Amino acid sequence: MYYNKDMFKQAGVTPPTNWDELRSAAAKLTRNNVYGLSMSLVKSEEGTFQFLPFVWEAGADLDSIDSPPAVSALQLLVDLMKQGQLSRESLNWTQQDAITQFISQKAAMCINGPWNLPPTKQGAKFQWGVVPLPKGTQAASILGGENWAIAATSSHVQEAFDFLKWTQTPQPLKNYIVTDVRLPSRKDLGADPVFQQDPNLAVFVTGLASAKPRAYGPNYPKISNAIQQAFQSALSGQLTADVALKQASGIIKPLLS
């Protein structure tokens, strides 16, 4: 979570470490056309990507998406939006839109990824920092990035596999991710000074310990769509959080098997 140090100082608040503190901080920071929090809750994978950590922080998962803990995660965001601390426009914001709100000082906090460290460094005209996502019953974050693959029709499967193995050895991998501002996919690289010297980047590296992949099988695109429908319906006021997630559960659970 990115936060505006200047706004926090003016409001007399410290970075929130849990959901109760997040509620309190968002309320105190929402003033003069500035929202306490910005994030992407658009109807796309970007919205799912930003919503899932709240479900995991609550102690739930997709096989319990209609449980009270999962409902509490969605209700948290519903409450922030109802109270005007999270803009309704977040239903249309991409992650880039959300960080733009933060950089332009229209939001005091922003939930986003490490790929937006460079534009924030370049564009922010204020003191800012990054802290871990405020905890629910536990800490959680989400893994992004890309995957390597070898086509089944390749005439050079072994050569391709040898190359992929080489890319994941420490020095070539370090060179690549440092140049491209990515996080280390190897734990032994995480302790390297190059990933710890920037305190904001170090927060993301440390957060990898509690980060999870979206490893839900071949039906994941349909699952993600059901999640998007659920949080959009609840946040727009069409359905209550519990009803929205109950409907999503009916779609999701058969797709997990």
Side-chain angles (χ1 to χ4, degrees):
M1 189 173 72
Y2 293 68
Y3 74 104
N4 185 316
K5 292 184 178 181
D6 295 343
M7 289 184 180
F8 270 66
K9 184 177 181 179
Q10 292 170 6
V13 296
T14 56
T17 61
N18 58 51
W19 287 2
D20 287 340
E21 292 176 4
L22 175 61
R23 291 176 187 270
S24 176
K28 294 176 180 177
L29 292 161
T30 300
R31 58 173 75 175
N32 302 326
N33 297 317
V34 174
Y35 290 98
L37 177 67
S38 69
M39 62 183 294
S40 171
L41 290 163
V42 69
K43 191 179 183 300
S44 76
E45 186 58 28
E46 290 192 38
T48 304
F49 188 91
Q50 297 224 282
F51 176 65
L52 279 178
F54 285 91
V55 175
W56 298 334
E57 284 188 322
D61 208 333
L62 295 193
D63 58 358
S64 55
I65 195 66
D66 57 346
S67 65
V71 172
S72 73
L74 181 51
Q75 190 63 48
L76 169 65
L77 299 179
V78 169
D79 292 344
L80 290 174
M81 188 168 287
K82 281 184 176 180
Q83 292 157 10
Q85 296 150 18
L86 173 64
S87 173
R88 289 182 62 86
E89 287 302 312
S90 61
L91 296 174
N92 302 311
W93 284 342
T94 64
Q95 292 169 4
Q96 186 59 51
D97 294 329
I99 202 67
T100 298
Q101 294 294 312
F102 178 74
I103 293 172
S104 61
Q105 300 194 69
K106 295 180 180 179
M109 297 178 284
C110 179
I111 296 175
N112 226 295
W115 51 86
N116 274 317
L117 286 172
T120 305
K121 289 178 181 177
Q122 181 178 4
K125 307 303 181 184
F126 53 89
Q127 297 295 310
W128 60 278
V130 176
V131 293
L133 288 178
K135 293 181 182 179
T137 60
Q138 61 187 17
S141 188
I142 190 166
L143 291 173
E146 285 71 43
N147 298 312
W148 292 94
I150 302 172
T153 56
S154 172
S155 301
H156 303 282
V157 172
Q158 187 57 52
E159 292 88 344
F161 187 61
D162 290 343
F163 171 73
L164 294 189
K165 287 193 296 182
W166 174 81
T167 67
Q168 301 309 299
T169 55
Q171 196 57 52
L173 181 60
K174 177 182 174 180
N175 291 342
Y176 167 62
I177 57 184
V178 168
T179 301
D180 209 39
V181 194
R182 295 179 181 271
L183 299 184
S185 54
R186 292 178 58 123
K187 289 183 179 180
D188 56 354
L189 281 182
D192 191 294
V194 73
F195 301 112
Q196 298 296 328
Q197 60 190 4
D198 181 335
N200 294 319
L201 180 62
V203 171
F204 287 104
V205 175
T206 301
L208 290 172
S210 59
K212 296 175 59 175
R214 290 154 287 170
Y216 296 107
N219 291 317
Y220 179 71
K222 295 178 181 178
I223 291 170
S224 180
N225 184 67
I227 296 169
Q228 296 162 31
Q229 293 277 12
F231 65 67
Q232 284 249 322
S233 295
L235 290 166
S236 63
Q238 298 177 42
L239 297 173
T240 60
D242 59 337
V243 171
L245 291 179
K246 184 175 182 180
Q247 289 187 2
S249 178
I251 299 171
I252 291 171
K253 288 183 178 178
L255 296 174
L256 292 172
S257 56

